[in-house]
C-alpha cells in the first residue's frame, strides 16, 4: 500500500474487520462497509466524529514554512518523467483526495473520504465503492463514478507504480450514479478490495480539456499548469524549480468529515527549494524560511542546537515515540552491477561495516542496528525457521543458502579491536571464495581488475555515514569512493538505477501485501522508477511475495512475511544500517497543538495550528534581523 501519512508507515493490507455504513442487508456482493481495519477492529465506532487526539476547535490560519532540496519541473506526480513539486505524491498529496483516507492513529486502518462505503463478495473477486454525494472538485462540479473509472484506467496506463499495484484489478465500471465496480482476475486476495481505497481520483473533464492557450492537456506528460483538484489545498503561486505555495480551500467539500475535523489548519503551506544541506540548516536556525525540522542527524541533534533562538527558548526540541515498525535503511547493493551478483561478495561487504564504532563516535549511541526488513514487530524473522514458516520455506530448500535453515541470522559486531580484525578477515575470506584476492594491497580478480564500489550521495550527511565504511573497505583493498551530486542529478540516477550503492529506505506496513511486488518483484526490477532498487529477480522471492498476498489469515501472513524477511536477509541484498523508534522534531515556537499526539504515527502535523500572537512576536524579533 501507499505510504501517505507523514512520520508513519501505516499502510492497508490483509484482514477486513469493518463497520456497516447502514443497516443494509447482506447481499451477494457483501454488506456496505465504512471504516476498515486489517488488524482487529478499529477503535472508532459507527458514530465516529473525529480522531481522539485532535482539537475540534483548532483555529485556521497562518503559514507553515518548509524548505526542501532539489527543484521541480512538473505538477504531475504519476509519471516517471519530470520531478513533481512538493505537495504532490503518488497518493494525491495536498491536491487530490483518495477514495478512502488512511488513519493517522491506527495501523492498517482507513476511513471514508471520496467513497462513503464499499463492499465485496466472499470470494474477494471484486469490490464496489459508493461515492459521497457531497464530493466536489474545486470548480464546484461533482466527483462522479466516471471520474473514478477514468482515473483507474489512466493511473494503470501512465504510472509504473499503479500498473503493478493494481495488476490484478482488470476493470472499473460505473454501475450507478455513485457506484463503481472493480473486477479482479483472481479470487482469495483479501487485500485487493481495500487497496483500491488508496487510489487518488482525478478530474476527467479537466484533463481532457484545453489549457489557456487552447492546447489539449496530456496527462502522460509533465505540466506546470495548475491542475484542478479536490483536496484541502490548491496551488496559490509558484516559481518553477524554487518555490511553491499552497492555499487552504475555504469551501473544501470534506472539511467536516471525521478524518478532517480539527486538521488541515494552516492557511498556507510554503515550500522553498534550497540546493545545499548546510544552507537548509541555516534557513532553519535563522527563521522565516523553515518552521519545523525533522532531524535525522544524531550529531546535529546533540551538538548544534545551541544557536541564539534555541537558547532564547524560541525554538523547541521535541521527541515523539512511535509504535509503528521501522523502515529498513541500508546501503543498497545494485544487482544490476556485475560485481554484486555473487552472494559471497555481498556478505563480505556486510562484514566490513563497523556499526558499533559509528554509533559510538558519530551517533552518540542513539541508534539501533536494523536486522530485519520488517523491524520492530511480529513480522520480523528471528531464531531458526520453525512451524508454519518452515513449512513455507521447505519447498525452496535447494534454492536457498543452507545456513538459512541451520543458523540464526546475525550481523557482525565490532565490540573490540580483535573483533575488527576477525570481521575484516572474514570479509577477505568470502571475497577469496568469490574469486577476489589481495595483491599489492589491492583486491583484484583473476583478470587483475580491482574491486570498485562508488557510493552515490547528495550532501554532507552521506559523507558522514559512508566515511568510516569506506575506510574499512579500503583496508581490504577495495577501491571505495563517494560521489556527491546535486539533488536533481541524484533523483534521475536513483530512478534509472544508475549507481553502485546508495542509502535506500524500505518502509513497510504491519500488513504487507501487493506492494511487496514493487519492492522485490522480478517485473519491477527493470522498470525505471520502481522501488526495486536492488534489482532482485528471484523466483523464490516472487513465490513468497505471492504467499503474502494470498495469505488466508493473519497467522499465514505473519509466517509468510517472516519467511520472506529471512530469505532477503540471507541473500545479503543490502548492508543494513540503523534506526530510532522515535521522531526528533525541532520547531519554532509559533504553533498550538493538541494535548496529545497519536501514539502510532508519533506526530500529526495536520492537527497543529499557528498561534498568531506567537507568530507575530517571532516575526518582529527575527525577521527584521535577517
Amino acid at each position: 500500500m501507499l505510504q501517505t501519512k507523514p512520520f508513519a508507515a501505516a499502510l492497508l493490507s490483509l484482514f477486513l474487520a469493518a463497520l456497516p455504513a447502514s443497516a443494509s442487508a447482506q447481499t451477494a456482493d457483501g454488506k456496505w462497509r465504512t471504516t476498515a481495519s486489517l488488524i482487529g477492529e478499529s477503535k472508532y465506532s459507527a458514530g465516529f466524529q473525529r480522531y481522539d487526539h485532535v482539537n475540534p476547535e483548532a483555529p485556521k490560519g497562518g503559514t507553515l514554512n518548509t524548505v526542501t532540496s532539489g527543484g521541480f519541473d512538473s505538477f504531475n506526480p504519476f509519471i516517471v518523467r519530470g520531478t513533481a513539486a512538493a505537495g504532490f505524491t503518488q497518493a494525491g498529496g495536498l491536491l487530490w483526495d483518495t477514495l478512502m483516507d488512511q488513519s493517522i492513529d491506527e495501523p492498517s486502518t482507513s476511513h471514508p473520504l471520496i467513497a462513503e462505503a464499499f463492499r465485496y463478495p466472499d470470494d474477494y473477486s471484486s469490490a464496489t465503492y459508493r461515492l459521497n454525494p457531497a464530493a466536489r472538485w474545486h470548480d464546484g462540479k461533482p466527483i462522479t463514478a466516471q471520474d473514478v473509472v477514468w482515473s483507474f484506467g489512466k493511473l494503470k496506463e501512465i504510472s509504473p507504480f499503479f500498473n503493478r499495484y493494481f495488476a490484478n484489478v482488470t476493470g472499473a465500471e460505473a454501475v450507478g450514479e455513485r457506484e463503481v465496480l472493480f473486477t479482479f482476475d483472481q479470487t482469495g486476495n483479501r487485500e485487493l478490495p481495500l487497496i483500491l481505497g488508496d487510489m487518488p481520483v482525478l478530474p476527467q473533464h479537466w484533463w481532457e480539456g484545453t489549457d489557456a492557450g487552447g492546447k489539449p492537456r496530456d496527462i502522460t506528460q509533465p505540466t506546470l499548469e495548475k491542475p484542478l483538484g479536490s483536496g484541502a489545498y490548491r496551488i496559490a503561486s509558484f516559481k518553477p524549480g524554487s518555490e511553491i505555495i499552497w492555499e487552504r480551500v475555504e469551501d473544501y467539500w470534506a472539511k467536516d468529515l471525521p478524518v478532517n475535523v480539527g486538521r488541515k489548519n494552516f492557511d498556507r503551506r510554503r515550500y522553498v527549494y534550497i540546493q545545499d544541506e548546510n544552507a537548509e540548516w541555516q534557513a532553519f536556525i535563522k527563521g522565516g524560511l523553515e518552521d519545523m525540522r525533522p532531524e535525522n542527524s544524531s550529531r546535529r541533534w546533540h551538538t548544534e542546537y545551541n544557536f541564539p533562538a534555541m537558547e532564547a527558548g524560541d525554538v523547541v526540541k521535541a521527541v515523539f515515540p512511535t509504535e509503528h515498525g521501522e523502515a529498513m535503511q541500508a546501503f543498497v547493493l545494485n544487482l544490476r552491477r556485475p560485481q554484486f551478483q555473487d552472494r559471497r561478495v555481498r556478505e563480505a561487504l556486510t562484514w566490513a561495516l563497523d556499526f558499533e564504532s559509528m554509533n559510538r563516535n558519530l551517533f552518540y549511541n542513539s541508534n539501533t542496528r536494523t536486522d530485519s526488513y520488517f523491524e520492530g514487530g511480529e513480522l520480523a524473522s528471528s531464531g531458526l525457521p520453525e512451524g508454519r514458516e518452515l513449512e513455507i520455506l521447505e519447498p525452496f530448500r535447494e534454492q536457498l543458502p543452507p545456513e538459512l535453515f541451520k543458523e540464526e541470522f546475525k550481523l557482525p559486531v565490532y565490540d573490540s579491536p580483535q573483533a575488527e580484525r576477525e570481521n575484516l578477515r572474514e570479509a577477505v575470506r568470502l571475497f577469496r571464495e568469490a574469486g577476489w584476492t589481495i595483491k599489492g594491497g589491492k583486491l583484484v580478480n583473476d583478470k587483475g581488475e580491482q574491486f570498485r564500489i562508488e557510493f552515490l550521495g547528495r550532501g554532507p550527511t552521506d559523507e558522514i555515514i559512508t566515511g568510516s565504511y569506506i575506510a574499512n573497505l579500503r583496508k581490504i583493498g577495495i577501491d571505495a569512493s563517494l560521489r556527491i551530486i546535486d539533488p536533481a542529478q541524484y533523483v534521475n540516477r536513483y530512478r534509472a538505477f544508475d549507481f553502485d550503492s546508495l542509502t535506500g529506505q524500505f518502509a513497510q506496513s504491519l500488513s504487507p501485501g501487493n506492494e511487496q511486488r514493487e519492492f522485490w518483484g522480478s517485473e519491477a526490477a527493470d522498470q525505471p522508477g520502481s522501488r526495486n532498487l536492488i534489482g532482485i529477480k528471484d523466483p523464490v522471492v516472487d513465490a513468497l511475495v505471492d504467499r503474502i498476498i494470498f495469505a488466508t489469515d493473519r497467522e499465514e501472513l505473519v509466517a509468510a512475511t517472516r519467511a520472506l524477511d529471512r530469505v532477503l536477509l540471507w541473500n545479503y541484498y543490502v548492508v543494513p544500517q540503523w534506526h530510532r523508534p522515535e521522531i526528533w522534531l525541532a520547531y519554532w515556537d509559533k504553533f498550538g497543538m493538541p494535548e496529545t499526539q497519536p501514539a502510532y504515527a508519533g506526530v500529526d502535523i495536520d492537527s497543529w495550528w499557528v498561534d498568531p500572537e506567537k507568530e507575530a512576536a517571532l516575526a518582529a524579533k527575527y525577521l527584521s534581523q535577517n
Side-chain angles (χ1 to χ4, degrees):
M1 297 288 297
L2 283 168
Q3 180 179 341
T4 63
K5 297 301 180 185
F7 310 107
L11 309 174
L12 300 177
S13 189
L14 189 62
F15 277 114
L16 293 177
L19 302 168
S22 66
S24 59
Q26 183 79 19
T27 70
D29 292 328
K31 65 182 178 181
W32 287 109
R33 304 168 184 265
T34 55
T35 295
S37 176
L38 303 176
I39 306 178
E41 291 193 6
S42 169
K43 65 181 180 180
Y44 296 106
S45 68
F48 172 40
Q49 297 295 313
R50 61 177 176 86
Y51 288 123
D52 291 341
H53 68 277
V54 305
N55 173 9
E57 305 301 324
K60 308 293 186 183
T63 299
L64 175 61
N65 295 291
T66 305
V67 300
T68 188
S69 61
F72 69 90
D73 58 8
S74 178
F75 295 151
N76 185 348
F78 306 112
I79 58 176
V80 174
R81 286 190 57 204
T83 301
F88 287 96
T89 70
Q90 289 265 23
L94 299 177
L95 187 64
W96 294 295
D97 281 338
T98 49
L99 287 171
M100 304 284 282
D101 196 45
Q102 293 179 23
S103 176
I104 194 68
D105 70 344
E106 292 182 290
S108 301
T109 301
S110 60
H111 303 292
L113 193 54
I114 289 176
E116 64 179 9
F118 69 102
R119 64 186 183 187
Y120 54 90
D122 291 341
D123 64 356
Y124 304 96
S125 59
S126 66
T128 302
Y129 276 75
R130 188 177 71 206
L131 307 189
N132 187 326
R136 291 288 186 277
W137 301 109
H138 292 160
D139 63 3
K141 294 182 178 181
I143 299 175
T144 67
Q146 183 55 39
D147 285 320
V148 177
V149 171
W150 184 85
S151 298
F152 169 78
K154 285 299 179 183
L155 289 173
K156 281 202 69 172
E157 174 190 341
I158 68 174
S159 167
F161 172 78
F162 282 111
N163 181 268
R164 284 183 294 275
Y165 199 49
F166 295 149
N168 299 114
V169 186
T170 54
E173 177 187 1
V175 293
E177 184 180 356
R178 295 190 290 114
E179 294 181 18
V180 178
L181 171 66
F182 297 95
T183 52
F184 311 150
D185 65 2
Q186 55 188 211
T187 58
N189 186 334
R190 294 172 176 260
E191 186 187 42
L192 278 183
L194 263 74
I195 65 173
L196 288 160
D198 291 339
M199 188 181 77
V201 181
L202 308 176
Q204 179 180 8
H205 69 282
W206 188 87
W207 283 104
E208 291 188 342
T210 56
D211 61 20
K215 183 179 178 181
R217 299 185 178 100
D218 185 353
I219 197 172
T220 69
Q221 300 298 320
T223 181
L224 283 176
E225 182 185 9
K226 298 178 187 178
L228 177 68
S230 61
Y233 290 88
R234 61 187 166 210
I235 300 171
S237 64
F238 68 96
K239 299 174 184 176
S242 62
E243 179 184 79
I244 182 169
I245 298 175
W246 296 81
E247 63 182 1
R248 186 172 58 85
V249 178
E250 290 281 352
D251 59 351
Y252 172 42
W253 75 271
K255 63 182 178 180
D256 295 323
L257 290 185
V259 294
N260 289 322
V261 170
R263 304 179 71 231
K264 315 291 176 64
N265 300 317
F266 305 116
D267 271 356
R268 289 168 300 281
R269 300 190 67 157
R270 178 191 182 207
Y271 296 88
V272 175
Y273 284 80
I274 293 179
Q275 299 301 317
D276 179 77
E277 187 176 315
N278 288 325
E280 289 184 27
W281 171 243
Q282 291 299 315
F284 175 70
I285 68 176
K286 291 180 179 179
L289 287 182
E290 185 168 39
D291 295 328
M292 62 178 63
R293 178 184 175 88
E295 187 57 74
N296 296 317
S297 168
S298 301
R299 172 186 55 81
R300 180 171 286 135
W301 186 255
H302 287 94
T303 66
E304 296 187 28
Y305 281 84
N306 53 8
F307 48 92
M310 186 81 203
E311 295 176 345
D314 294 325
V315 171
V316 178
K317 287 172 67 179
V319 176
F320 298 93
T322 63
E323 294 179 353
H324 63 75
E326 301 301 320
M328 167 62 84
Q329 178 176 298
F331 292 113
V332 173
L333 303 176
N334 188 354
L335 299 188
R336 303 168 188 85
R337 298 288 204 256
Q339 69 265 40
F340 301 127
Q341 291 173 7
D342 191 309
R343 174 181 167 271
R344 293 166 296 186
V345 165
R346 302 194 298 269
E347 182 180 356
L349 292 170
T350 301
W351 280 90
L353 180 66
D354 180 355
F355 164 74
E356 285 70 28
S357 295
M358 295 174 70
N359 199 32
R360 182 175 61 253
N361 298 327
L362 300 176
F363 308 143
Y364 297 83
N365 287 318
S366 58
N367 292 337
T368 300
R369 190 77 190 270
T370 301
D371 59 2
S372 169
Y373 286 81
F374 301 88
E375 187 74 37
E378 65 174 347
L379 298 174
S381 60
S382 62
L384 296 178
E386 58 185 19
R388 190 74 188 97
E389 181 191 351
L390 180 58
E391 292 177 14
I392 291 171
L393 289 169
E394 191 63 46
F396 308 109
R397 181 181 284 268
E398 298 302 316
Q399 299 161 266
L400 294 171
E403 300 94 326
L404 182 149
F405 295 94
K406 301 175 182 178
E407 301 175 21
E408 182 177 2
F409 182 84
K410 296 282 188 181
L411 290 169
V413 175
Y414 282 71
D415 54 4
S416 68
Q418 180 181 357
E420 178 183 359
R421 291 190 295 272
E422 291 176 351
N423 291 342
L424 292 181
R425 189 177 298 121
E426 177 64 11
V428 171
R429 183 191 69 80
L430 287 163
F431 269 118
R432 188 184 310 114
E433 286 188 3
W436 299 85
T437 57
I438 297 178
K439 294 181 180 179
K442 296 181 179 180
L443 186 68
V444 298
N445 59 18
D446 57 5
K447 297 179 181 179
E449 300 167 333
Q450 186 176 11
F451 191 95
R452 290 181 171 84
I453 179 170
E454 178 187 80
F455 295 91
L456 197 64
R458 50 183 171 179
T461 296
D462 291 295
E463 295 177 357
I464 293 170
I465 66 175
T466 60
S468 64
Y469 186 34
I470 287 175
N472 263 14
L473 294 174
R474 288 174 176 172
K475 288 178 183 178
I476 57 176
I478 293 175
D479 180 8
S481 61
L482 170 66
R483 185 184 184 93
I484 299 292
I485 58 178
D486 67 65
Q489 285 182 295
Y490 184 92
V491 169
N492 289 335
R493 291 186 60 175
Y494 180 98
R495 289 177 174 174
F497 311 127
D498 183 14
F499 58 85
D500 291 344
S501 181
L502 49 69
T503 293
Q505 283 193 333
F506 304 93
Q508 290 289 355
S509 164
L510 295 182
S511 295
N514 286 262
E515 78 286 347
Q516 299 303 305
R517 289 172 175 159
E518 173 85 354
F519 282 125
W520 330 115
S522 296
E523 290 186 9
D526 295 326
Q527 180 62 58
S530 85
R531 291 186 288 181
N532 190 345
L533 291 176
I534 301 165
I536 299 173
K537 291 183 178 181
D538 186 332
V540 175
V541 171
D542 289 338
L544 292 176
V545 167
D546 281 345
R547 288 298 293 262
I548 291 172
I549 292 172
F550 290 98
T552 56
D553 54 35
R554 181 69 184 177
E555 182 181 0
E556 177 81 4
L557 174 70
V558 171
T561 304
R562 289 176 179 173
L564 174 63
D565 185 36
R566 198 179 299 274
V567 169
L568 294 174
L569 290 170
W570 277 104
N571 274 295
Y572 292 97
Y573 291 127
V574 302
V575 180
Q577 294 181 1
W578 41 83
H579 65 272
R580 289 190 303 270
E582 58 191 19
I583 295 164
W584 292 349
L585 185 67
Y587 59 89
W588 284 80
D589 190 16
K590 59 180 274 186
F591 300 102
M593 64 191 74
E595 293 183 3
T596 61
Q597 289 290 283
Y600 175 69
V603 61
D604 175 18
I605 298 302
D606 279 336
S607 71
W608 294 24
W609 61 90
V610 171
D611 183 316
E613 292 185 2
K614 288 183 176 181
E615 184 177 47
L618 289 176
K621 185 174 182 180
Y622 291 99
L623 294 186
S624 61
Q625 302 174 14
N626 298 332

